[in-house]
């Protein structure tokens, strides 16, 4: 096991602000004529400074990590993404591009205790392609453990036969995909310390919260099956761009299903509304919003998973 100060017996209340070009474009649009070249960095800095005192860990990107990591609260574990800004998501292979300006060996000098690596993974993809992905993850895991850095791996599932990940058809196969991905990367050979995983169901198609394609009992079973597939590796649930209210309800549902995750990592569900405030009223107004509503949202997510 690596040497991170993050307690792997939980709970972990994580915040993520590692988004790149997409977030930059949204901020630029909101700012209009008032846009500044350093707006993305200023936005991220406000998130770090307002939420790191209440978060157990906070994730930033490789591009701005060197500037943001020193601004963490002393009690917040530093997590740094090991990815370039632009993912190769339009390629057939969907293999994440690594940063050209950051090495795993740089993490200790940056005081970054956790490395996060993201990868699109199709359990039903060709064996040769998935072997290349396995080799990449295994290599990163080995390098992390050589220098005592905690390895957090985030597989995002897809299936080529159902390209629309928001569809009812994909919702039917998502539990099996998430379970398979979790089981595959829980293999000790990958050296994964923590799995950051998707909710195994789409609540837009669960009885009582959306179109009743799946019963609540079946949804609870899907949570248990996917969590069981992790074995001894702790799980963090990611928010995947849903609203704050949706993520809060999903965390509470996971606990009602009998799952005991390590915690969560949440980004946009907490701070996405701050983009408009930053754009219309500027950084000071965003900071006031983050100190009140942003911190309140983080507190409510903690309560939901308790």
């Amino acid at each position: 096991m690596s040497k991170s100060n993050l307690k792997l017996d939980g709970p972990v209340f994580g915040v993520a602000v590692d988004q790149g070009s997409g977030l930059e474009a949204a901020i630029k649009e909101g700012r209009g004529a008032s846009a500044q070249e350093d707006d993305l960095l200023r936005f991220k800095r406000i998130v770090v400074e307002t939420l790191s005192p209440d978060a157990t860990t906070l994730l930033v990107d490789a591009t701005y990590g060197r500037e943001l990591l020193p601004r963490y609260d002393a009690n917040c574990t530093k997590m740094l993404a090991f990815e370039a800004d632009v993912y190769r998501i339009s390629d057939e292979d969907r293999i994440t591009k690594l940063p050209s300006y950051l090495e795993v060996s740089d993490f200790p000098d940056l005081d970054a205790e956790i490395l996060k690596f993201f990868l699109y993974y199709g359990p039903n993809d060709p064996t040769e392609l998935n072997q290349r992905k396995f080799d990449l993850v295994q290599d990163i895991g080995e390098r992390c453990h050589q220098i005592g850095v905690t390895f957090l791996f985030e597989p995002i599932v897809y299936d080529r036969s159902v390209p629309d990940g928001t569809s009812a058809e994909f919702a039917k196969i998502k539990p099996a995909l998430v379970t398979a991905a979790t089981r595959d990367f829980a293999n000790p050979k990958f050296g994964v310390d923590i799995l950051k995983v998707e909710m195994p169901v789409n609540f837009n198609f669960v009885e009582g919260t959306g179109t009743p394609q799946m019963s609540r009992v079946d949804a609870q079973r899907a949570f248990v099956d996917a969590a069981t597939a992790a074995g001894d590796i702790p799980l963090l649930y990611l928010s995947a761009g849903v609203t704050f209210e949706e993520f809060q309800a999903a965390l509470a549902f996971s606990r009602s299903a009998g799952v005991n995750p390590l915690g969560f990592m949440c980004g946009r569900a907490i701070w996405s509304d701050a983009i408009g405030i930053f754009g219309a009223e500027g950084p000071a107004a965003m900071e006031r919003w983050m100190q009140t509503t942003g911190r309140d949202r983080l507190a409510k997510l903690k309560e939901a998973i308790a």
Side-chain angles (χ1 to χ4, degrees):
M1 191 57 67
S2 56
K3 300 175 182 179
S4 169
N5 290 326
L6 188 69
K7 293 182 178 179
L8 296 185
D9 55 354
V12 170
F13 309 126
V15 174
V17 64
D18 59 326
Q19 289 78 0
S21 55
L23 175 57
E24 185 174 30
I27 293 171
K28 185 175 181 180
E29 181 180 359
R31 292 281 270 168
S34 300
Q36 302 291 321
E37 187 174 340
D38 65 344
D39 277 345
L40 180 59
L41 175 59
R42 293 164 78 191
F43 183 95
K44 290 171 177 279
R45 187 167 60 232
I46 292 170
V47 173
V48 168
E49 292 177 346
T50 56
L51 296 186
S52 66
D54 299 323
T56 57
T57 186
L58 197 146
L59 168 66
V60 292
D61 58 289
T63 301
Y64 293 109
R66 286 178 169 85
E67 296 173 83
L68 293 171
L69 291 171
R71 295 182 175 273
Y72 280 47
D73 182 86
N75 294 316
C76 182
T77 299
K78 297 173 181 178
M79 186 187 304
L80 183 60
F82 190 59
E83 305 137 3
D85 174 57
V86 180
Y87 302 147
R88 293 176 177 169
I89 56 176
S90 60
D91 291 357
E92 282 295 309
D93 292 347
R94 303 191 191 188
I95 296 179
T96 305
K97 184 178 180 180
L98 300 181
S100 59
Y101 41 84
L102 180 70
E103 297 293 340
V104 175
S105 58
D106 295 329
F107 276 60
D109 288 339
L110 294 171
D111 198 27
E113 299 179 80
I114 304 176
L115 180 150
K116 169 256 183 180
F117 181 66
F118 157 100
L119 186 67
Y120 283 108
Y121 177 63
N124 299 319
D125 267 358
T127 301
E128 182 274 333
L129 172 57
N130 280 344
Q131 186 59 54
R132 287 167 55 202
K133 295 184 178 183
F134 292 157
D135 291 344
L136 176 60
V137 175
Q138 186 171 353
D139 176 65
I140 294 173
E142 289 173 353
R143 286 191 277 165
C144 284
H145 282 256
Q146 286 172 2
I147 59 173
V149 170
T150 296
F151 182 30
L152 182 149
F153 178 60
E154 176 185 350
I156 300 295
V157 299
Y158 67 92
D159 193 284
R160 294 172 190 274
S161 66
V162 188
D164 184 359
T166 65
S167 66
E169 187 178 3
F170 188 82
K172 292 179 181 178
I173 63 174
K174 186 176 182 181
L177 294 175
V178 173
T179 298
T182 302
R183 181 179 296 111
D184 287 348
F185 290 103
N187 189 315
K189 72 179 182 180
F190 294 113
V192 174
D193 294 307
I194 306 170
L195 278 165
K196 180 184 175 189
V197 296
E198 300 170 87
M199 300 286 180
V201 304
N202 183 337
F203 284 94
N204 290 326
F205 301 98
V206 175
E207 172 192 17
T209 58
T211 304
Q213 175 175 282
M214 174 182 282
S215 71
R216 294 185 71 81
V217 170
D218 286 342
Q220 289 176 330
R221 185 176 300 113
F223 267 87
V224 171
D225 289 347
T228 301
D232 295 330
I233 297 182
L235 299 178
L236 296 179
Y237 285 123
L238 59 95
S239 56
V242 301
T243 68
F244 164 72
E245 291 80 9
E246 289 171 335
F247 191 52
Q248 181 184 28
L251 289 177
F253 186 89
S254 73
R255 298 295 285 122
S256 72
V259 176
N260 185 31
L262 180 66
F264 62 80
M265 289 293 300
C266 183
R268 287 167 288 175
I270 291 178
W271 50 253
S272 62
D273 291 338
I275 298 173
I277 296 170
F278 186 94
E281 303 175 51
M286 175 195 166
E287 184 170 359
R288 289 192 295 271
W289 187 92
M290 290 296 302
Q291 287 285 10
T292 53
T293 305
R295 293 181 68 189
D296 180 64
R297 287 183 174 183
L298 179 55
K300 288 178 177 178
L301 293 180
K302 292 180 181 182
E303 294 173 2
I305 206 168

